Amino acid sequence: IGSYTHIAPHTYLSGSQGGINIGYGAGLAPFAAVYSAVEDYTAGHLTNPSVPPDLRGQKVGPITIAPHAAIGSSSVVLAGITVGLAAAVGALSLVNRRVRPFEVVHGNPVRRAGMRVKDRLLELDAELRSRATAEGIDLPICDHQTGLPVARGPGLYPYRPDGLTLGSRPAA
């Protein structure tokens, strides 16, 4: 769980089997539920945790909630899903597919409702990084396509402004 992350009361995180990674600045609203393991009720398997595992159809996979992603109230995120950098999931949504960076989704199942303003969000992230550094907080460097951490350390640039690659320094 990253710095500046908010997990509201009554949020349910079930990650003991597949794991859950929550990036810095992410937010999970009240009653959101995140499951890294779910049962398949459609493929002719028995269900119930008391039934031996070989008779059940279970999907297990890590969940990544990237930096600055927002999960709305009473939404459910299923196993193996990535919610991308600065993506937003509306309230009461079922997240059964990958949510791309900066994408806004809602519904059951989720569908695209729009896109967030990427340039503005990256500017605000740069300001947060500056303040974090001043407070002695080391935020991971993230790929802006996947939202996944790629490096840590001073002097590394988190995004690819002007075509620079991750970790490169601008010319003097």
Side-chain angles (χ1 to χ4, degrees):
I1 298 175
S3 298
Y4 303 105
T5 294
H6 175 73
I7 300 174
H10 309 292
T11 297
Y12 183 75
L13 303 175
S14 176
S16 66
Q17 293 179 337
I20 299 171
N21 179 19
I22 302 174
Y24 69 90
L28 284 79
F31 302 102
V34 180
Y35 299 96
S36 69
V38 294
E39 292 196 9
D40 181 353
Y41 299 108
T42 64
H45 299 284
L46 296 177
T47 62
N48 176 337
S50 302
V51 172
D54 62 319
L55 302 176
R56 298 186 345 237
Q58 192 173 42
K59 178 181 179 183
V60 176
I63 293 180
T64 299
I65 299 173
H68 304 302
I71 309 296
S73 184
S74 299
S75 292
V76 175
V77 181
L78 299 179
I81 298 296
T82 295
V83 178
L85 180 68
V89 175
L92 300 168
S93 295
L94 175 66
V95 185
N96 64 344
R97 68 156 176 91
R98 178 175 72 101
V99 181
R100 291 172 177 78
F102 307 100
E103 186 177 25
V104 178
V105 298
H106 66 89
N108 180 1
V110 293
R111 60 195 167 281
R112 180 180 281 191
M115 294 295 290
R116 298 184 74 195
V117 182
K118 178 179 176 179
D119 292 341
R120 177 65 178 143
L121 292 170
L122 294 179
E123 288 173 14
L124 292 170
D125 180 69
E127 176 62 25
L128 178 64
R129 290 178 163 286
S130 174
R131 293 181 188 188
T133 299
E135 295 173 12
I137 299 171
D138 181 28
L139 297 178
I141 306 300
C142 296
D143 182 315
H144 78 278
Q145 296 299 319
T146 64
L148 300 175
V150 294
R152 285 183 180 269
L156 296 176
Y157 292 82
Y159 307 107
R160 294 181 259 228
D162 304 316
L164 297 173
T165 59
L166 287 168
S168 64
R169 302 173 195 282

